[in-house]
Amino acid sequence: MLCWTSGRRRTVALIERIRSAIRKARGDEALQYSGGRPHISLGYSYGSASSDPLNSELRNRVIPRRATLFVDRVHLLDVAWTFDEDLGGWRMTWEPVAEIPLAAEPSGFIPLR
């Protein structure tokens, strides 16, 4: 389940600053995956299932439908994709590498809206 971000310009700027810092510290090999369109993942699935029930609940029960996302730290992960014979598909795993607090506005948060 993905939630698309609407503050795209600020979100992409933050992502690019983080990627630039990683590239300077660890080199291009540390950035083998772009992440695609900015989003928030609410869950993952290894099997087939309809996301309609969850989408309906989110649309009908979560109000307001938009909210400001505050980012006060970044968690860097070492992500790996491996083929899992038992699942018959790909498995994503990750290991925490670092937690980096970000400089913030006087309120203590960086809004991405």
Side-chain angles (χ1 to χ4, degrees), residues 21-82:
I22 294 169
R23 191 174 290 109
K24 286 178 185 176
R26 303 292 304 257
D28 288 335
E29 289 184 14
L31 297 168
Q32 297 181 17
Y33 178 67
S34 74
R37 182 177 176 186
H39 66 277
I40 298 170
S41 299
L42 298 179
Y44 295 95
S45 172
Y46 289 112
S48 296
S50 173
S51 61
D52 289 345
L54 178 57
N55 282 324
S56 294
E57 287 294 313
L58 290 172
R59 273 194 300 275
N60 296 324
R61 295 184 184 255
V62 176
I63 297 174
R65 292 187 183 197
R66 295 179 187 249
T68 301
L69 173 66
F70 294 101
V71 178
D72 65 349
R73 70 195 67 244
V74 173
H75 296 264
L76 298 181
L77 306 172
D78 184 7
V79 178
W81 290 90
T82 54

